[in-house]
Amino acid sequence: MEAKKIVIIGGVAGGASAAARARRLSEETEIILLERGPYVSFANCGLPYHIGGEIADRDRLLVTTPEQLRTRFRIDVRTRNEVTAIDPEKKEVEIKNLESGEVYRESYDSLVLSPGAEPIRPPIPGIDNPNVLSLRNMEDMDRIIQALDGKTHAALIGGGYIGLEMAEALRRRGVGTTLIELAPQVMGPADPEMVSILHQELTLNGVDLRLGTSVTGFSESAKGLKLALSSGETLETGVAILAIGVRPETALAKAAGLELGPRGGIKVNDRMQTSDENIYAVGDAVEVIDFVTRQPALIPLAGPANRQGRIAADNIFVRDSRYKDTQGTAICKVFNLAIGMTGLSEKAARRAGIAFEKIYVHPSSHASYYPGSASLSIKMLFDPQSGKVLGAQAVGADGVDKRIDVFAVAIRAGLTVYDLEELELSYAPPFGSAKDPVNFAGFVAANVLRGDVKLCQVEDIINPAPHSKLLDVRTTEEVAAGTIPGSKNIPIDELRDRLDELSKEKEYLVFCRVGVRGYLACRMLTQNGFNCRNLTGGYITYQRTTGISVDEMPEDHKPGSDSDYEDVKKEPTMKLVKTINACGQQCPGPILQLKNALDELKEGEAVCITATDPGFVADVPAWCNTTGHELASIEPAEKGAYRATVIKRAHAAGGIPMSGKRAMTNVVFCNDFDKAMAAFIIANGAVSAGYEVTLFFTFWGINILRKSGPVVAKKNLIEKMFGIMMPKGANKLPLSKMNMAGMGLAMIKGIMKHKNVMTLQELIAQAKFSGVKLVVCTMSMDLMGIKREELIDGVEEGGVAMYIDHLSRSGANLFIS
Ligand code: FAD
């Protein structure tokens, strides 16, 4: 093979891989690796873990040194040398030696670009403040560690995987952490119901999570930095770390006339060749084809960068090596949990207009009787006709990596859900189950495709058909910890004997905790001539979709809610008499154990219970609220477990409000002026009569709480159109009858003024002043595209679980529609 001269720009993931592969293919070739930073081949993926202290030795991040590359691979490594221009005509690059300032040129036969992607820094006022940092390389990491010295608080901006890893790193350093995320969820590529448990995990670990919030400005302050937030609040902090995404470094390529793709990355063919046949490009800077959607995409991950570097080198040496697209297989550790994904998410499928069916399963990560097992939640998308696996997401404390990797291979190999049923996967109790969670996902999906059971999704429950009825087949103990409003409870073991309570005219939306008993119930019902569907993923999926009750914990029970961000532990006034280890057990196991233990205790004595089921965190406060026992604390424990301490209260019984106060919870569903007036008149009246009042605004009702003036909120086209069409606040509501293009409304307002009736705005202000809780339904906000910043101050966000919790303490409930 003829000797060649290869120049490579960028000496980390893609560049170093290309260089090493090129040397393995040719001993004669001259290989020059140009890197503008002081290091090559460092582990950028490991940077957050050195900041957090897990990787104590900084040098461990330097996977290969320039000396090792020179000695072992005879690569001419030039660090602190930046390529400033490419001349494709002359096949030369212009280089600046950043140490000496010398500018020189170097010729090439083949050029490989692997310049990576740079952190996005939007033009926010004050962003150039030296305490606003980002994390891409070793120098950034050193700067962050130095900046954190002596600081008690840091703000993270962006809840993607770097933001999440940094949140854990900061908390490990004992630094108070606020994570600000513009979207209503962290980990943007995943579906919202799969990440709601991460929100809980972050909060439990002391991270002050501000979703739906953006930073509008940075300024200097006594503590270091002051952040202005879109919510109107300000945040004092020591350091701000931006992690809002990356942008491909394409300036060199663009200036050299290389073609860019529609997503803004360097365009390459499957040989990693750019529009110039002598120039290859790899890694974060290039645009790839999404393996499932077949559409161009930017997917900045280390695995693809490394493989592409190798493929570019192969092709330089005329080996026919092709890059077979990117499916976005990724995993991220978030304190005790991990979230992994591969292929299509539901969001991505909808965006791409790809037909899909979805199922959820929540099995144990390994045999539940063997220590250390934890609940693993999996969502799988598949083609509704062929059953081909399209995507999977998994979240849990154990076993996420193994399952996501199996799904990744299944997608790559074009396997169907029927193939998943057949996969022979390794099993012994410490590692899995005889029916592995992946097999299990296959069984559930294949049952649907074979017509053994009809699927019901949470969306069908939120918008039920008129003839449908919810049937909860869990035990009464499970129901005590929360259920779906309006459901009828017949435990599965009683169902055969109680079929006469059901009607053949109705369609039953059946649910249990995870979907297994629901499936059995559906088989039983179908064979008895009833019409039914099974809620996939059961009540757990419902809870994760509609809200998570760590938000509903009393403030002082939330870990990390102390204002100084120090780990102050409250000393509860109680006598701890029993500890229970319920790790590995699924609900209702831990709740039943808790109940039985408390039954044996006296007033004021307490039980400390540890469980690994993440749903336990939501169940315990709900169960305590329902029964009247007192939740003293709930916190993360070792190895992905959660520990709750509950104090026995003698008056405890189902449904007794703990405060002993009378309560009223009303749902406000519509945005008619007269009905809004009625809602606030009743609320003000009830609060003055000593009631605790909650108004739960859902769907159109949310418009009552919108601000009237212009609000800057990031919205897509449909959300903007919706926003324009819907009334903006209390002053813009129509009358439900005789509105007559606003004439009726003007008349009624005139009469109200004449008769000295308070205006709606005054009633709202009075209600807030008197302590009426105004809660907006987050799911409805999301559906209608209403953002937090559009709402008046003093409004809380919540899900159905929160509503049910308030309802369980209420003696009266009105639906104002
Ligand atoms: P990089 O590895 O960024 O290398 C590009 C290099 O090119 C840089 O060192 C830059 O200095 C140099 N360069 C740029 N322009 C020039 C020029 N003109 N002249 C000379 N040199 C130049 N991915 C995962 O899959 N899993 C993870 O867990 C993960 N964690 C991450 C954590 C962090 C904090 C970061 C920052 C990234 C993480 N990634 C992770 C992403 C992964 O590191 C990247 O996808 C991968 O490094 C991309 O490789 P690359 O070669 O394209 O770019």
Side-chain angles (χ1 to χ4, degrees):
M1 188 172 297
E2 99 187 68
K4 282 179 171 265
K5 180 175 177 185
I6 303 177
V7 170
I8 299 171
I9 305 175
V12 192
S17 293
R21 177 71 174 166
R23 175 55 74 227
R24 288 196 293 274
L25 295 178
S26 166
E27 270 296 306
E28 292 82 40
T29 299
E30 183 183 357
I31 304 170
I32 301 172
L33 187 64
L34 300 164
E35 168 57 54
R36 77 176 156 214
Y39 306 101
V40 289
S41 202
F42 60 87
N44 19 24
C45 308
L47 302 176
Y49 301 101
H50 179 59
I51 297 174
E54 290 102 319
I55 303 173
D57 181 359
R58 180 182 182 278
D59 287 349
R60 297 293 302 273
L61 297 173
L62 301 170
V63 182
T64 313
T65 61
E67 291 67 38
Q68 284 165 334
L69 284 177
R70 282 183 201 119
T71 315
R72 185 163 300 170
F73 295 98
R74 207 161 42 80
I75 292 169
D76 179 355
V77 180
R78 301 183 198 167
T79 52
R80 304 283 291 139
N81 274 256
E82 180 172 15
V83 176
T84 47
I86 303 168
D87 186 340
E89 289 289 310
K90 292 190 182 149
K91 294 180 45 177
E92 281 181 0
V93 288
E94 182 189 85
I95 304 156
K96 182 171 184 189
N97 182 327
L98 299 176
E99 297 292 337
S100 64
E102 177 203 357
V103 175
Y104 63 101
R105 293 175 83 84
E106 198 67 68
S107 65
Y108 62 80
D109 293 317
S110 297
L111 178 67
V112 180
L113 297 179
S114 189
E118 61 189 339
I120 294 172
R121 291 178 76 89
I124 301 172
I127 198 159
D128 294 330
N129 186 300
N131 281 321
V132 182
L133 302 167
S134 44
L135 179 63
R136 178 181 182 183
N137 51 35
M138 298 285 285
E139 303 94 285
D140 292 338
M141 177 187 77
D142 295 338
R143 265 191 290 272
I144 289 174
I145 292 174
Q146 205 183 359
L148 287 172
D149 193 28
K151 305 277 182 0
T152 55
H153 185 261
L156 277 168
I157 301 151
Y161 67 85
I162 295 179
L164 292 172
E165 289 171 356
M166 278 305 300
E168 184 173 347
L170 291 171
R171 291 302 290 147
R172 282 181 66 95
R173 290 180 75 93
V175 175
T177 306
T178 298
L179 198 162
I180 299 158
E181 165 60 58
L182 176 65
Q185 67 165 87
V186 298
M187 203 69 181
D191 291 325
E193 73 283 15
M194 297 305 287
V195 301
S196 54
I197 193 106
L198 299 184
H199 300 163
Q200 171 181 293
E201 186 71 7
L202 288 160
T203 310
L204 277 173
N205 282 283
V207 176
D208 168 28
L209 184 60
R210 311 276 184 99
L211 296 173
T213 307
S214 60
V215 177
T216 53
F218 299 93
S219 55
E220 298 234 349
S221 79
K223 282 193 179 173
L225 265 182
K226 193 198 266 180
L227 273 58
L229 304 181
S230 57
S231 58
E233 293 162 297
T234 54
L235 180 75
E236 293 270 350
T237 188
V239 186
I241 300 166
L242 277 178
I244 54 175
V246 294
R247 168 183 306 128
E249 283 219 24
T250 53
L252 269 181
K254 210 168 155 187
L258 300 180
E259 205 178 322
L260 302 187
R263 305 294 311 276
I266 303 172
K267 192 167 180 183
V268 288
N269 62 19
D270 60 357
R271 293 190 157 97
M272 307 315 297
Q273 240 166 348
T274 66
S275 52
D276 180 318
E277 62 174 357
N278 299 309
I279 305 179
Y280 294 76
V282 302
D284 290 358
V286 305
E287 211 163 278
V288 291
I289 297 295
D290 183 299
F291 183 78
V292 187
T293 65
R294 313 304 310 151
Q295 291 171 1
L298 295 170
I299 306 178
L301 290 170
N306 277 278
R307 293 201 306 281
Q308 291 164 0
R310 192 184 151 91
I311 289 169
D314 278 354
N315 282 291
I316 289 170
F317 292 100
V318 209
R319 287 201 174 196
D320 185 17
S321 180
R322 309 289 178 117
Y323 185 66
K324 299 192 183 76
D325 309 324
T326 303
Q327 63 192 84
T329 307
I331 188 162
C332 177
K333 180 175 178 299
V334 186
F335 294 95
N336 286 319
L337 298 179
I339 181 158
M341 65 207 79
T342 183
L344 274 191
S345 64
E346 183 173 343
K347 282 180 197 170
R350 289 191 190 282
R351 262 197 311 268
I354 294 177
F356 66 90
E357 187 54 277
K358 60 175 175 177
I359 56 107
Y360 300 83
V361 290
H362 306 279
S364 280
S365 58
H366 60 248
S368 54
Y369 55 82
Y370 187 87
S373 83
S375 164
L376 178 67
S377 294
I378 295 175
K379 174 179 185 177
M380 179 174 71
L381 268 66
F382 54 97
D383 184 289
Q385 301 304 323
S386 65
K388 197 166 157 183
V389 183
L390 300 174
Q393 296 161 64
V395 61
D398 180 46
V400 169
D401 50 349
K402 166 167 154 171
R403 276 52 184 233
I404 281 300
D405 285 347
V406 177
F407 281 115
V409 175
I411 293 171
R412 193 44 77 157
L415 300 190
T416 65
V417 299
Y418 307 111
D419 296 315
L420 298 188
E421 292 185 292
E422 302 297 329
L423 288 184
E424 186 178 315
L425 301 170
S426 61
Y427 162 61
F431 306 105
S433 309
K435 286 179 199 150
D436 189 87
V438 176
N439 298 130
F440 199 61
F443 297 141
V444 171
N447 282 343
V448 174
L449 292 185
R450 289 193 189 102
D452 291 345
V453 66
K454 283 193 273 181
L455 267 190
C456 166
Q457 303 290 350
V458 174
E459 299 86 284
D460 305 325
I461 285 182
I462 292 170
N463 299 307
H467 64 293
S468 62
K469 183 104 190 79
L470 282 162
L471 182 62
D472 183 346
V473 294
R474 297 173 304 153
T475 60
T476 44
E477 288 80 5
E478 288 172 278
V479 175
T483 186
I484 304 177
S487 56
K488 178 182 179 69
N489 176 225
I490 304 183
I492 177 85
D493 295 336
E494 298 171 20
L495 189 57
R496 271 193 197 87
D497 299 328
R498 293 176 59 184
L499 289 176
D500 56 345
E501 294 177 32
L502 304 179
S503 156
K504 292 200 170 149
E505 307 303 313
K506 298 217 173 290
E507 180 190 50
Y508 288 95
L509 306 180
V510 181
F511 68 96
C512 62
R513 181 163 174 82
V514 295
V516 178
R517 284 169 291 170
Y519 168 59
L520 295 179
C522 277
R523 292 300 302 154
M524 208 184 282
L525 290 173
T526 310
Q527 292 177 64
N528 279 286
F530 291 94
N531 186 12
C532 60
R533 290 194 277 152
N534 183 27
L535 174 63
T536 176
Y539 185 63
I540 292 188
T541 301
Y542 173 81
Q543 274 184 312
R544 302 253 175 108
T545 309
T546 55
I548 201 88
S549 26
V550 74
D551 293 341
E552 290 127 54
M553 279 184 213
E555 265 312 306
D556 53 354
H557 292 165
K558 279 190 197 173
S561 58
D562 47 290
S563 54
D564 285 325
Y565 304 100
E566 262 137 38
D567 283 325
V568 181
K569 290 229 162 57
K570 290 205 161 53
E571 287 301 328
T573 48
M574 61 179 182
K575 188 174 159 209
L576 185 64
V577 293
K578 188 158 185 164
T579 55
I580 302 170
N581 183 348
C583 292
Q585 292 183 25
Q586 300 274 353
C587 182
I591 289 289
L592 273 177
Q593 290 216 40
L594 180 62
K595 177 186 179 303
N596 293 340
L598 286 167
D599 284 350
E600 307 284 305
L601 303 191
K602 297 194 203 80
E603 157 82 20
E605 292 180 338
V607 176
C608 178
I609 177 166
T610 310
T612 39
D613 177 6
F616 177 72
V617 178
D619 290 343
V620 170
W623 186 81
C624 287
N625 270 330
T626 311
T627 57
H629 294 298
E630 185 182 335
L631 178 62
S633 66
I634 186 155
E635 59 191 352
E638 310 71 44
K639 294 188 182 159
Y642 306 92
R643 186 184 303 114
T645 304
V646 178
I647 307 171
K648 162 107 174 189
R649 289 297 168 218
H651 67 258
I656 296 177
M658 285 168 68
S659 62
K661 239 181 153 183
R662 289 178 300 172
M664 169 184 252
T665 302
N666 297 342
V667 178
V668 186
F669 179 82
C670 72
N671 59 22
D672 294 333
F673 171 79
D674 36 353
K675 293 175 186 171
M677 286 287 296
F680 278 96
I681 289 169
I682 295 168
N684 280 311
V687 84
S688 62
Y691 279 76
E692 274 179 3
V693 183
T694 304
L695 290 183
F696 194 82
F697 293 83
T698 182
F699 285 90
W700 314 111
I702 299 173
N703 289 317
I704 300 169
L705 302 180
R706 288 175 76 194
K707 289 176 188 157
S708 54
V711 178
V712 182
K714 205 172 166 201
K715 291 185 165 204
N716 62 33
L717 186 65
I718 294 178
E719 288 171 339
K720 276 186 193 150
M721 283 169 57
F722 243 70
I724 292 167
M725 289 187 300
M726 293 186 302
K728 231 175 159 191
N731 205 25
K732 299 275 185 232
L733 308 180
L735 210 51
S736 67
K737 288 191 171 67
M738 300 195 311
N739 190 42
M740 298 178 295
M743 270 165 52
L745 180 67
M747 277 159 63
I748 195 95
K749 283 188 178 171
I751 297 168
M752 278 166 49
K753 197 171 175 192
H754 180 67
K755 303 221 174 216
N756 247 343
V757 179
M758 284 167 87
T759 64
L760 180 55
Q761 286 91 331
E762 287 168 340
L763 283 168
I764 295 174
Q766 176 64 42
K768 278 176 22 185
F769 176 72
S770 317
V772 172
K773 250 184 197 308
L774 305 181
V775 181
V776 283
C777 167
T778 42
M779 185 277 302
S780 304
M781 275 174 73
D782 193 29
L783 285 182
M784 301 173 77
I786 296 178
K787 308 293 173 195
R788 182 71 185 82
E789 50 270 42
E790 291 182 78
L791 301 179
I792 59 172
D793 293 336
V795 172
E796 290 179 41
E797 292 176 38
V800 172
M802 187 180 189
Y803 165 61
I804 297 304
D805 181 24
H806 287 244
L807 185 62
S808 69
R809 288 177 271 147
S810 299
N813 176 225
L814 299 179
F815 194 91
I816 298 167
S817 67

